[in-house]
Amino acid sequence: MLHLLTSPRTARTVRGLIGTLIETAADAVRSIAPAAPAKPEPVVEIAPDPADLYEAEEMPETDVIEAAAAEHERAADQARRADRGKRAAKKILDRLPAGRYGAWIVERVTSSRETADLDSIRATYKRLGLGPVPMKRCAPSLKVRRAEVVPAAEEIALVAA
């Protein structure tokens, strides 16, 4: 009889019953506890249009705009695929010591690009008591996406409303 109480199957059953009791108790507590405040949805800030837009008389035809948007989407998709391929190859190549590997030479060269050393700038601002480092937003990104197709009958109803 003692064997039945200590068998693995019985232990699993008892653990399952205990788990069910704990879940039931937790549900009961949640039902009487005040609800947690809902997380606010992130605000997507729409950037203003740039200054050099087409004038009304310069606007290209809709089919030209659609072709440009389709080309932009195709090129962006190719760029994403290329970036994924480049990252996958870089995982291997980054760990190689410099040298010749078959027809390929792997080497590391110093970049000529420079960027601001924000840690040093923050330390200087703090040392001089100038407050936080002034920052500005990056240029807005152009996003192009296909619009949902609204059947003509629904479009007429939406315009009439």
Side-chain angles (χ1 to χ4, degrees):
M1 185 72 167
L2 184 60
H3 160 282
L4 289 175
L5 293 175
T6 59
S7 72
R9 187 166 55 192
T10 304
R12 278 195 304 269
T13 303
V14 170
R15 279 195 308 266
L17 289 171
I18 291 171
T20 304
L21 288 172
I22 291 172
E23 286 178 26
T24 305
D27 289 341
V29 169
R30 270 189 240 115
S31 69
I32 60 172
K39 291 183 181 176
E41 291 188 26
V43 177
V44 177
E45 189 176 318
I46 303 296
D49 285 334
D52 59 342
L53 298 179
Y54 286 116
E55 296 295 328
E57 61 276 357
E58 298 176 312
M59 287 290 286
E61 297 294 322
T62 303
D63 58 333
V64 173
I65 297 170
E66 286 182 332
E71 176 61 18
H72 183 277
E73 182 181 41
R74 186 194 63 74
D77 187 50
Q78 278 185 334
R80 281 189 294 273
R81 272 191 255 136
D83 283 343
R84 282 192 295 269
K86 189 175 169 182
R87 281 192 303 270
K90 198 169 180 189
K91 281 183 180 179
I92 295 169
L93 298 172
D94 272 348
R95 297 188 61 199
L96 291 175
R100 183 180 180 128
Y101 298 90
W104 298 96
I105 296 174
V106 175
E107 59 189 353
R108 288 165 183 79
V109 295
T110 306
S111 174
S112 61
R113 288 180 60 188
E114 292 182 339
T115 185
D117 182 356
L118 285 178
D119 291 334
S120 175
I121 294 170
R122 282 188 192 100
T124 302
Y125 265 64
K126 187 174 183 177
R127 184 172 37 86
L128 297 175
L130 297 174
V133 176
M135 302 294 277
K136 68 177 189 175
R137 292 199 176 270
C138 297
S141 299
L142 175 67
K143 290 197 174 194
V144 179
R145 57 189 167 89
R146 186 172 296 279
E148 292 183 31
V149 177
V150 178
E154 288 181 29
E155 192 173 309
I156 291 170
L158 287 174
V159 170

